[in-house]
Amino acid sequence: MTTDFPRSKLQFGRRAFSRRNSVFSFRTYQTIVLLLTFLAYASFHATRKTTSIVKSVLDPETTKLSFSHWARSYFLGPPQQEQVNSRLKNGWAPFNGVDGTVMLGEIDVAFLAVYAIGMYFTGHLGDRIDLKILLTVGMVGTGLLTVLFGAGYWLNIHSFYYFLVVQMMAGLFQSTGWPSVVAVVGNWLGKSKRGLIMGVWNAHTSVGNITGSLIASACLGYGWGWSFAIPGLLIFVVGLSVYLFLPVSPDSVGIKREQYSENSFGIHKLREPLLEPIADDENKAVGFISAWKIPGVAPFALCLFFSKLVAYTFLYWLPFYISHTAIAGQYLADSTAGTLSTLFDVGGVVGGILAGHISDRLDARAITAASFMYCAIPALYLYRIYGSVSLYWNAALMLVAGMFVNGPYALITTAVSADLGTHSSLSGNSRALATVAAVIDGTGSVGAAIGPLLAGYVSSKSWGAVFTMLMVAALIAGLLLTRLVVAELSAKMKAARLKEDGGMPLATGVGPEV
C-alpha cells in the first residue's frame, strides 16, 4: 500500500479534528508557541543585559585607580572613599568609589547565585503546576524589579543594599523562565530536526542581549534609570501576552495526544512523537536526584557550567572591557562600546543555528558541542591579541568568538535538554522536561555566577589573565564530553561496519530510530 492515501486520509482527519476541537491548526499553534516563548526569553535577556551596559556609567573611573578592583568585600563595611555627590559626571555613588567594581561584581554574583539556586526549585515546580502561570509570574515580577532598580536614579537612592536586594529578587523571578519555556516548546516540538529548529529558536538569547544593549545604550543620554525602566516595561507587556495567548500543551487547547503524535511531522515519523502516550498514573514529575541519573545529564550539565562561565563573563564584562581597552589607540564611549558588544551576540545567533544544524546532520550532540568548545580557544586568543588593532578587526574577531562560545551553550540548553528530558529511560514521561532543563541550566548558571566574579578578581592583575582563564574553562568544557564523544564515534563506526556488511544501520545519537 502506498503512503499517499493514508497521508491524505490522516491530513483530512486532522483538519476535521481541528475544526471540531480547537481554534487553530496544530501547525498554527506550534508557530504561536515558538513566537511567544522566543519573545518571552528574549525579554528576560534584555533586562539581564542592561546591567553590563550601565556598569561603566555607574563606575567610570575604576580602572584608572591604582587600587585592586577586588581589594576587599563590601559586605565587611562601606568604602572609605565613597563619593556622595551622585549627580556628577564621574559616576553614581556608591559605585563610583574605589570599591565600585567590587560592589557591581557582588551584585552580579548575588543575582546569578539566586538565579542558579532558584532554577533547581522552579524547574521542579514547573513539572507540577501550570507552566503559563509560572512563566507569567516570573516575567511580571522581573519587569517590576527591573523598573525598581532604575527607579534608584529618580529617587536618588545610593544604598548598595537596595540595589543588591532588588537584583537578588530579580534573579529569583528570572529563574522561572528557562525551565518553563523549554518545557512548553518540548510539549509541542517533535524530534525531527530538533537541533536546527531549537538552534534558530535559541537565538532569543542573543536577540534579547542585543535588544537590551541597544535600548540601554540609547537611553543612557537621558539618565541611566531609563536603561532599566524601558526593558522592565517591555518584559511586563510580553508577560501579559504570554498569559493571554500561550497554549502550554496540545491537550490544553483540545488536541488529543493520539492525534498530534501521529500527524505533526509526517507519515514517516508516526512511531516517533516527542512524547509517547502514557497512563496518567505513571506520568509523575521526576525528582531532582532522578534527573541527575538520566544518562548524559551529568556530563552535559558540567560542560554547561564551564561554557556559561565563559559566555556570562562576556555578557557582564564585554562592554566594560571594550570601553577600557584602546582600539587603534582610542577609547570608545560607553554607549558605543555597548553597541559594539552586540556583535558577540550576533555571532552567537549564527553559532547556535550552526551547532543545531550540524548536530542534526551528524546525529551527534556531544561531538558538535565539544568541537565548538575547542574552536573557542583559538578564537578567544585571537580576539585578545588582535582585537585592539582596529575597529574592524575587533568586530570580526568578536563575531567569531561569539559563534564558538555561544554555539555549544545554545545547543546544550535547548536540543540536548529536550533530548534528555524525553530520554527512553523515562518511559515517555512528559513531566520531566522542566526538571531536566533546570538541572542542566541551573548547573550552568552556577558557572555563570562564578565567571564574572573571577573576572573581577583576575582583571585586577590583567585582562590577559582573564582571557587565559576563559580559554582554560573552554578546554575543560570540551574535555568533560570526552566519554560521550567516544561513545558517539564508536557507535558511528559500528554502524558504518554494519552498513558495509549489508546489515541494518544502528541509530548513533539521540535522533529518531526507524
Side-chain angles (χ1 to χ4, degrees):
M1 181 181 295
T2 64
T3 59
D4 293 339
F5 175 74
R7 180 187 294 272
S8 61
K9 183 178 179 180
L10 285 172
Q11 289 174 342
F12 174 79
R14 180 181 172 187
R15 287 194 297 269
F17 180 86
S18 298
R19 283 197 299 268
R20 290 195 306 268
N21 297 278
S22 60
V23 178
F24 302 112
S25 68
F26 186 83
R27 293 292 190 188
T28 302
Y29 277 119
Q30 282 183 316
T31 303
I32 293 173
V33 167
L34 290 174
L35 179 61
L36 281 178
T37 52
F38 184 98
L39 292 175
Y41 211 69
S43 62
F44 272 117
H45 264 266
T47 61
R48 200 177 302 175
K49 180 65 174 178
T50 298
T51 306
S52 67
I53 302 299
V54 178
K55 187 175 293 182
S56 294
V57 175
L58 300 178
D59 177 30
E61 300 295 328
T62 299
T63 55
K64 298 180 183 179
L65 300 174
S66 59
F67 298 90
S68 167
H69 291 181
W70 297 82
R72 61 180 175 77
S73 172
Y74 183 72
F75 292 111
L76 300 178
Q80 296 178 355
Q81 300 182 29
E82 178 179 309
Q83 300 178 33
V84 296
N85 190 354
S86 60
R87 294 295 181 179
L88 297 178
K89 294 181 180 180
N90 60 348
W92 184 270
F95 303 112
N96 58 351
V98 294
D99 289 331
T101 305
V102 175
M103 290 181 277
L104 289 171
E106 288 178 343
I107 285 177
D108 289 344
V109 171
F111 168 85
L112 291 169
V114 174
Y115 175 79
I117 296 171
M119 184 82 70
Y120 293 117
F121 292 99
T122 56
H124 196 59
L125 188 64
D127 285 324
R128 288 162 171 79
I129 66 172
D130 190 340
L131 288 169
K132 181 165 65 175
I133 299 298
L134 181 64
L135 182 57
T136 301
V137 170
M139 295 180 71
V140 171
T142 298
L144 292 176
L145 289 163
T146 303
V147 172
L148 281 176
F149 194 102
Y153 173 77
W154 295 291
L155 299 177
N156 203 26
I157 296 175
H158 301 283
S159 169
F160 166 76
Y161 295 102
Y162 170 83
F163 297 108
L164 177 69
V165 171
V166 168
Q167 279 296 83
M168 290 177 67
M169 292 179 64
L172 180 62
F173 279 97
Q174 287 225 14
S175 68
T176 65
W178 189 245
S180 300
V181 296
V182 170
V184 171
V185 171
N187 287 336
W188 284 95
L189 190 63
K191 292 181 179 178
S192 177
K193 297 183 179 180
R194 178 187 286 165
L196 175 60
I197 294 173
M198 298 196 83
V200 175
W201 174 75
N202 194 66
H204 52 51
T205 298
S206 297
V207 170
N209 290 340
I210 293 170
T211 302
S213 297
L214 294 177
I215 291 176
S217 298
C219 292
L220 282 178
Y222 302 96
W224 63 262
W226 288 106
S227 296
F228 287 92
I230 301 302
L233 293 174
L234 176 65
I235 193 174
F236 185 89
V237 173
V238 176
L240 294 180
S241 300
V242 164
Y243 178 75
L244 294 174
F245 304 111
L246 180 66
V248 174
S249 67
D251 292 332
S252 68
V253 291
I255 299 178
K256 302 301 181 183
R257 186 181 300 273
E258 58 270 15
Q259 291 289 330
Y260 68 80
S261 66
E262 293 184 357
N263 292 289
S264 58
F265 292 99
I267 192 73
H268 62 289
K269 297 295 183 185
L270 290 181
R271 291 182 295 171
E272 284 295 330
L274 173 62
L275 303 171
E276 296 290 349
I278 188 169
D280 290 337
D281 57 347
E282 298 178 3
N283 203 19
K284 298 178 181 179
V286 172
F288 179 79
I289 302 301
S290 299
W292 274 102
K293 293 180 179 179
I294 298 172
V297 167
F300 273 117
L302 294 174
C303 174
L304 189 63
F305 174 95
F306 289 97
S307 178
K308 289 191 76 168
L309 184 152
V310 178
Y312 269 68
T313 299
F314 273 91
L315 175 69
Y316 280 96
W317 286 102
L318 183 57
F320 190 89
Y321 169 75
I322 293 173
S323 65
H324 292 85
T325 300
I327 300 176
Q330 296 183 342
Y331 290 90
L332 300 180
D334 296 328
S335 59
T336 305
T339 302
L340 180 62
S341 70
T342 61
L343 292 177
F344 183 84
D345 295 295
V346 174
V349 173
V350 177
I353 295 173
L354 276 178
H357 178 64
I358 292 171
S359 69
D360 279 340
R361 293 295 300 271
L362 298 179
D363 196 14
R365 307 290 197 215
I367 292 174
T368 304
S371 298
F372 269 69
M373 290 311 308
Y374 292 138
C375 290
I377 298 173
L380 291 170
Y381 176 80
L382 292 173
Y383 179 70
R384 169 58 183 168
I385 299 300
Y386 298 104
S388 59
V389 172
S390 71
L391 195 61
Y392 296 106
W393 273 101
N394 190 288
L397 293 173
M398 193 190 306
L399 278 168
V400 175
M403 181 177 69
F404 287 118
V405 168
N406 285 341
Y409 163 29
L411 180 66
I412 294 171
T413 54
T414 54
V416 170
S417 294
D419 290 340
L420 297 175
T422 56
H423 194 271
S424 58
S425 64
L426 296 172
S427 301
N429 191 345
S430 64
R431 299 181 64 190
L433 277 170
T435 300
V436 170
V439 165
I440 293 177
D441 201 52
T443 303
S445 296
V446 176
I450 293 175
L453 174 63
L454 290 178
Y457 279 103
V458 177
S459 66
S460 65
K461 307 292 184 182
S462 73
W463 280 104
V466 173
F467 278 84
T468 300
M469 176 192 75
L470 298 180
M471 288 186 282
V472 171
L475 176 63
I476 296 174
L479 292 175
L480 284 168
L481 297 180
T482 299
R483 185 176 63 84
L484 296 179
V485 169
V486 171
E488 287 182 351
L489 289 173
S490 299
K492 287 186 175 296
M493 289 188 290
K494 185 176 180 180
R497 287 196 299 269
L498 285 173
K499 187 175 182 180
E500 290 177 359
D501 295 337
M504 179 68 69
L506 298 175
T508 58
V510 292
E513 299 177 4
V514 179

